[in-house]
Each structure stands twice: as C-alpha cells, then as structure tokens.
C-alpha cells in the first residue's frame, strides 16, 4: 500500500497542532488550572512543555518520519532483530482507542451546546442535566463519530488536510475575538490575576504531577498520535523546528482559553474548582447574562467544536492508519469498522452517568475518570518514557540514528548540549513523577 503524503508544510503543522490543540486545551486545561491553584499550575505546565513535551515530541515525530509507518509498524522497521519494542506500538493503538472512549463523548457535548445556543434554547442549560440523559448522550456521540470518520473517508489531502486547514484558522480567529470580549467583563482583572500570577504557596507535588500529565495530554504524546503525522511528511524540515512551531500554537490556544474562561468565572461568581463542568456551566451562565448572548454563545461553542474535532480527527486518523496497515483495508472500509468500534467503546462514557454507572475510584467517579486515568496517568507518560529510551540508548534505536534523522532538513537542530536533557533528565523526571502520581492519586 503506497504511503499517503500531506500536500504542504502548513498542512503538517496545522494537522499536528490540531492533534495537540483540542479539548485538552480548552476544556481540560482550564479546569485543571482551577483545581490546582491558578497561575502556579500554569507556570509549571509551561516548564513541563519545554523540558518534557518538546523533547518527546521531537522524538515521536522523528520515529514516524524515519519509519514511514503507523505506530503498530513503526518500531518493527527501526528496532534490531529479536527486540520487542514493537509491543508498544500495539499499546499505542489501545491508548488511542481509550482516549477516544471519552473524547468522542466530550465532542458530542460541544455539538449539543452549540445546537442549543444557535436555536436560542439555552436559558435552562445545565451540565448535570445533560449528562444524565442517555438518549441525548448517545445521539450526539454518534454525530461526533460519524462526522469524524466521514471526513477521513476521503483521501488524506482532500479530506483531513483540507478540512483541518480551514478549521484551524477559524478556531484561532474565534479564540481571539472571544478573548478580547472576555477581557471587557467586570471581573476580568481579578480573573486574570488568579490565572496568570503564580501563588507559590499553592505549588506542591500534586500540582507538578498534574501539570506533567496535562502537558503530555494536551500534546497527545506517548501513544503515537504525533508519529503518524511524522510518517506523512518528507525530509525538507528538521523535527526540532517543526516541534517548536506546534508547541507554540498549542500553548497559545491553552493560555487563550483561560483568558476566555477565568474572567467570566470571576464576573459571574462561578467556582473555578467545578472540574469537568467548569467550561459548560460557566460559559452557559455567562452567555445567559450577556447582551447578545445567543450570538456569543453560538460562536464560543462553534469554536469548541473546531477544537474538539481537530484532536478527534487526528486520533481517528491514527487509529485508522494502524488498522489499515494491519489489515490492508481501504480508507472507506476502515472508516466504517473503526467508526463502529469507537462508538461501541464510547458508549461506556456516554451512558456512564446514567444507566451504566461504574465507580472505579470513589463513589463519585465514573467511566470518564477511568478512561482518563488509563490514558493521562498511565499510557501517556509511560509511552513517552518508552519513546525516550528507544531513541536515546543503544539498546533501542540509539542516539546517533535519532539525531541523524531529527536534524535532516532546514530549521532548528537538536544540539549536542541537549543530549543530557533528552537522555537523562526527561526519563528521570517522567519516572519520578509517574511513581509519585500513583502514590498520591485520589484512589478513594
């Protein structure tokens, strides 16, 4: 099967950034920030992006480009005879499915809120009410999955790349408009102070672990989501330069999302520690009380749909590419099978607040918490650790092979002085924070 190619560098950057930019930035990042003390969490998150996220992204993109394969075949092309690194490729596929098991449902929620606002029927919107209605959740989950795989059924350039280019540009424009509007609210100064000024007394081990997990989650690192786009590009540009561009876009969207949400929280008296409901309840309350709320609310949740779809499409593409390489199926056939599979797995989350209740950690935890624990707490950091060990040590692919591929092309290079960061700092910090995170996890 001939390898498909992206048509332009811009397409690659926007697709890769789209994978990183999504609900992790505009839904999860704000509520994680609210629960972890505001500005201090944002500061540690930025440090984690630079010291951990950037090196792992360079390595994952490099593996994809060197192998020209999806994660399930990637290691097999690069590992030495008799090695078992390729087992992580299958684990990466599982990780992508687990991620979509709750992410597809969240994307459906965005569609639901958009429909309510665009129709003007938003006065009584409530997050708890929405998640308790099984038919509503299943219906909008189906919509999110069908739209995603329908776009992917076309060829790579005509479907995913073309759609994402327009969608990402629209997303960035909408964010800027909404951020400017939010800064005019009466509580903007207080909200921005909480969000952007670190309170060092609130920074502890739990906050650092949460920031690391969020950095890996928001960049979709460790489960091959970036590697697949590396496999679709040529060798014209170096991977460090492209990774920096992707992370800058990702960080911009995450920070801007907080600028939209926290001034609204402090203006309308919404608790910043509301967790997953923060975005939905806060913004619905804002628009109900705002002049022109129907228009602003429709724009906001249209932006949220674009953000959610950008990641959903990228991860769907990763799952589809893995399945096609294992089976040899065409795009349309792969889309149908993968779409049905993702829909069935995602029913656990869609119905987990009502008819399929499951409390894995505490009486209030649900399927969404379980899938998030599997992905964010385990598969993302452990996958990033495996990628680091494979790229940096002779018992894997090796540093020399990695550097030769990563530095091929124009742009920023991985320098010799960075080797200790990649080889020693990144795996050491990941292991320490992973173990600490398990020990301090809120099991009950």
């Amino acid at each position: 099967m001939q390898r498909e190619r992206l048509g332009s560098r811009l397409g690659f950057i926007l697709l890769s950034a789209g994978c990183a930019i999504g609900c992790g930035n505009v839904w999860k990042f704000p509520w994680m920030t609210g629960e972890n003390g505001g500005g201090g969490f944002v500061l540690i998150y930025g440090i984690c992006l630079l010291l951990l996220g950037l090196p792992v992204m360079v390595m994952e993109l490099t593996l994809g480009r060197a192998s020209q394969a999806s994660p399930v075949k990637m290691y097999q092309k690069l590992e030495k005879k008799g090695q078992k690194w390729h087992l992580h490729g299958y684990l990466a596929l599982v990780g992508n499915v687990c991620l979509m098991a709750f992410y597809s449902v969240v994307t459906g929620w965005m569609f639901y809120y958009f429909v309510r606002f665009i129709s003007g029927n938003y006065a009584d919107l409530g997050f708890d009410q929405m998640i308790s209605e099984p038919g509503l959740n299943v219906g909008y989950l189906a919509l999110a999955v069908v739209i995603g795989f329908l776009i992917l059924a076309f060829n790579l350039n005509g479907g995913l790349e073309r759609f994402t280019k327009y969608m990402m540009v629209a997303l960035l424009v909408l964010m800027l408009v909404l951020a400017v509007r939010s800064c005019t609210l009466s509580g903007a100064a207080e909200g921005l102070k909480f969000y952007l000024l670190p309170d060092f007394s609130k920074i502890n081990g739990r906050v650092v672990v949460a920031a690391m997990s969020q950095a890996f989650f928001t960049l979709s690192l460790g489960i091959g989501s970036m590697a697949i786009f590396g496999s679709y590009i040529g060798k014209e540009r170096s991977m460090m330069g492209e990774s920096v561009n992707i992370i800058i876009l990702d960080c911009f969207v995450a920070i801007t999302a907080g600028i939209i949400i926290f001034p609204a929280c402090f203006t309308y008296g919404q608790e910043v520690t509301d967790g997953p409901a923060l975005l939905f309840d806060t913004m619905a309350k804002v628009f109900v009380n705002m002049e022109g709320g129907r228009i602003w609310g429709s724009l906001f949740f249209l932006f949220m749909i674009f953000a959610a779809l950008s990641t959903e499409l990228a991860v769907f593409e990763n799952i589809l590419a893995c399945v096609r390489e294992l089976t040899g199926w065409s795009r349309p056939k792969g889309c149908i099978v993968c779409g049905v599979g993702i829909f069935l797995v995602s029913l656990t989350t869609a119905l987990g607040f009502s008819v399929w209740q499951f409390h894995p950690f505490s009486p209030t935890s649900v399927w969404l918490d379980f899938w998030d624990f599997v992905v964010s707490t385990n598969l993302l950091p452990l996958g990033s650790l495996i990628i680091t060990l494979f790229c940096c040590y002779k018992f894997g692919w090796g540093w020399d092979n990695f550097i030769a591929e990563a530095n091929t092309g124009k742009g920023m290079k991985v320098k010799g002085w960075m080797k200790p960061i990649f080889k020693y700092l990144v795996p050491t910090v990941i292991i320490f924070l992973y173990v600490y995170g398990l020990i301090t996890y809120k099991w009950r």
Side-chain angles (χ1 to χ4, degrees):
M1 185 168 60
Q2 186 176 356
R3 193 81 190 152
E4 292 178 283
R5 292 283 186 182
L6 293 171
S8 66
R9 182 190 177 205
L10 178 63
F12 163 70
I13 291 174
L14 291 179
L15 268 174
S16 301
C19 185
I21 295 166
C23 289
N25 297 78
V26 294
W27 170 62
K28 191 175 182 184
F29 178 73
W31 66 257
M32 289 286 285
T33 300
E35 287 190 339
N36 288 283
F41 174 84
V42 176
L43 176 64
I44 301 300
Y45 168 76
I47 294 172
C48 287
L49 281 182
L50 184 63
L51 292 182
L52 301 176
L54 180 58
V56 176
M57 177 170 284
V58 173
M59 289 185 274
E60 188 168 321
L61 286 172
T62 300
L63 290 178
R65 188 172 73 172
S67 65
Q68 293 292 293
S70 73
V72 293
K73 297 290 186 180
M74 177 174 73
Y75 290 103
Q76 295 176 25
K77 293 194 174 185
L78 301 176
E79 67 186 2
K80 299 177 181 68
K81 188 175 181 179
Q83 292 185 325
K84 302 296 183 183
W85 292 97
H86 61 273
L87 295 177
H88 176 242
Y90 296 102
L91 192 62
L93 173 57
V94 172
N96 280 276
V97 173
C98 292
L99 174 59
M100 287 298 103
F102 68 93
Y103 203 100
S104 300
V105 177
V106 177
T107 303
W109 294 342
M110 305 304 176
F111 276 105
Y112 172 69
Y113 266 66
F114 173 71
V115 169
R116 290 290 296 267
F117 270 95
I118 200 74
S119 65
N121 183 24
Y122 57 88
D124 60 342
L125 265 177
F127 181 76
D128 290 337
Q129 178 186 351
M130 173 187 69
I131 62 176
S132 65
E133 296 183 28
L136 184 154
N137 279 267
V138 172
Y140 278 94
L141 161 64
L143 178 66
V145 172
V146 168
I147 288 176
F149 280 107
L150 189 63
I151 293 168
L152 295 184
F154 297 93
N155 64 53
L156 188 64
N157 303 127
L160 180 61
E161 183 177 3
R162 179 183 294 178
F163 183 81
T164 302
K165 278 183 180 179
Y166 293 121
M167 185 175 67
M168 289 297 293
V169 171
L171 185 154
L172 295 172
V173 171
L174 282 173
M175 285 207 80
L176 289 172
V177 171
L178 289 164
V180 170
R181 178 66 182 90
S182 193
C183 286
T184 65
L185 297 174
S186 60
E190 193 178 356
L192 293 175
K193 180 181 178 182
F194 167 82
Y195 179 49
L196 298 176
L197 290 182
D199 182 349
F200 292 99
S201 66
K202 294 182 179 179
I203 298 176
N204 53 35
R206 185 178 61 82
V207 171
V208 174
V209 170
M212 181 196 74
S213 297
Q214 178 61 20
F216 287 133
F217 183 88
T218 192
L219 294 176
S220 302
L221 296 174
I223 54 175
S225 297
M226 285 296 164
I228 191 64
F229 296 114
S231 77
Y232 289 147
I233 59 172
K235 298 182 183 291
E236 294 81 14
R237 308 292 303 191
S238 66
M239 292 294 89
M240 173 63 85
E242 303 301 75
S243 298
V244 168
N245 290 330
I246 294 165
I247 286 179
I248 288 173
L249 269 175
D250 174 81
C251 199
F252 168 78
V253 171
I255 297 300
T256 308
I259 292 174
I260 294 171
I261 290 172
F262 287 107
C265 288
F266 282 83
T267 299
Y268 296 102
Q270 192 75 24
E271 289 292 333
V272 298
T273 56
D274 275 358
L278 177 65
L279 178 139
F280 295 97
D281 283 346
T282 298
M283 299 316 292
K285 189 174 183 179
V286 167
F287 298 128
V288 166
N289 290 283
M290 182 186 291
E291 186 177 348
R294 179 178 177 181
I295 296 173
W296 287 109
S298 299
L299 284 175
F300 177 79
F301 284 104
L302 178 62
F303 140 67
M304 288 301 306
I305 288 172
F306 286 166
L309 275 179
S310 66
T311 297
E312 183 190 76
L313 285 168
V315 179
F316 278 177
E317 173 64 24
N318 201 3
I319 295 169
L320 178 62
C322 289
V323 170
R324 290 183 67 208
E325 284 198 359
L326 290 172
T327 62
W329 290 342
S330 65
R331 264 191 177 270
K333 182 177 180 180
C335 284
I336 293 171
V337 176
C338 291
V340 172
I342 293 297
F343 173 76
L344 293 176
V345 173
S346 301
L347 285 176
T348 55
T349 303
L351 300 175
F353 299 94
S354 51
V355 296
W356 280 0
Q357 292 193 15
F358 170 52
H359 307 294
F361 308 119
S362 69
T364 57
S365 62
V366 290
W367 272 105
L368 187 150
D369 300 301
F370 171 76
W371 292 122
D372 186 45
F373 171 77
V374 171
V375 176
S376 302
T377 306
N378 291 280
L379 295 183
L380 297 182
L382 289 179
S384 297
L385 176 63
I386 291 170
I387 288 170
T388 302
L389 296 177
F390 183 69
C391 285
C392 293
Y393 290 89
K394 289 183 179 179
F395 54 77
W397 193 34
W399 179 260
D400 291 341
N401 289 325
F402 159 64
I403 284 296
E405 178 65 37
N407 287 346
T408 298
K410 299 177 182 178
M412 296 173 61
K413 312 292 185 184
V414 179
K415 304 293 186 181
W417 62 265
M418 298 178 185
K419 184 175 180 179
I421 297 175
F422 279 69
K423 191 171 183 178
Y424 303 114
L425 178 66
V426 171
T428 301
V429 172
I430 290 175
I431 292 170
F432 174 77
L433 293 179
Y434 174 69
V435 173
Y436 183 88
L438 287 181
I439 292 172
T440 58
Y441 191 81
K442 296 177 181 179
W443 297 102
R444 286 292 171 189

